[in-house]
Amino acid sequence: MELKFLHILTYLSLALVASHAALPVTYWTTKLPNTPMPKAIKESLQPSGLTEDKSTSVDVGKGGVNVGVHKGHTSGGTNVNVGGHKGGVNVDTPGGTHVGVGKGGVGVTTPGHHGKPPVSVGVQPGPSPFLYNYAAKDDQLNDNPNVALFFLEKDLHQGSNMNLQFVKNANGASFLPREEADSIPFSSEKMPEILNQFSVDPDSEEGQIMKQTVQECEEPGIKGEEKYCATSLESMVDFTTSKLGNKVQPLSTETQKENTQMQKYTILGAKKMGNNNNNDKSVVCHKQNYAYAVFYCHKTETTESYMVSLVGADGTKVKAVAVCHKDTSQWNPKHLAFKVLKVTPGSVPVCHFLPQDHIVWVPKN
């Protein structure tokens, strides 16, 4: 198997080494002064920090791609792991290269350079269950940690118990500065050019994943939904402030542990967020599966956002963002939420916790 995502790593390195975080952060502080940056955005700016001993990875879940940069102790090498637990083939080549091919994803690790920030690109297969048009298959109810994130509004109160699992997404893709992002095509019409630019086989799984993300971004929103796919932090800020004004508060879920086991959590308290005059307005941005950070952002008029304090049976503390959708009548009838909660579109408000790499924006009090 070709080390095609090494081409992505090289391409993105040129764009990110000098200005990876500086330009977006400067724009943030200028456009949103005195506005704390949530962890989800910080990690999408520089997922693995600037230290030379840190490593970066690119994960494509089952059948995905992992590209990491790390400092070697002696001689550098390249590691490629094409996922899975069974039926894999591992090959070690001279010069420290390791290639593993099996039933799953692909991972590529190359030695980094002293003092330069690692670069991360991440994609995972399958559509996002947080998009309104999402249609879930019956087998997706099994072995899917996102299933537990959906709940009914009546259960959002102190003392309520829920079985939850907060798993950090392996998608470590980072933002490109807007100038760089805008120079790269992002449309189905230009998909052959995009895949060629990243040296991705159109028929490969990673190629199909990238196509799917662009197609989801191009599909029209449901009635009452204003959607936009932000390919840079600057464009996300611009879209959000155009819908909510400049006085906004971005929020993301934060956990005491990066990954938790499925366990019982107890709600200690829940606080409704947003301006009292506009508490049904918000912009939610979901991180998508792509070669660099792309967020599917959408604004609706019938949502309420909460910061929820939880504690797990093992003592793990979580500050989770919960979004409650008051009107689901326009959602896909086969949406995962309806299957999990056994309700029908428009019958009751549907809520869900946001994964750690998603963001909700609300008007600031």
Side-chain angles (χ1 to χ4, degrees), residues 137-153:
K137 298 178 181 178
D138 290 337
D139 60 2
Q140 289 178 274
L141 297 180
N142 302 317
D143 194 28
N144 183 351
N146 286 323
V147 168
L149 297 181
F150 290 96
F151 60 95
L152 296 176
E153 187 180 42

Side-chain angles (χ1 to χ4, degrees), residues 17-18 49-53 71 112-118:
V17 165
L50 295 172
T51 59
E52 58 190 274
D53 293 326
K71 177 185 176 182
H113 301 283
H114 180 77
K116 293 185 178 181

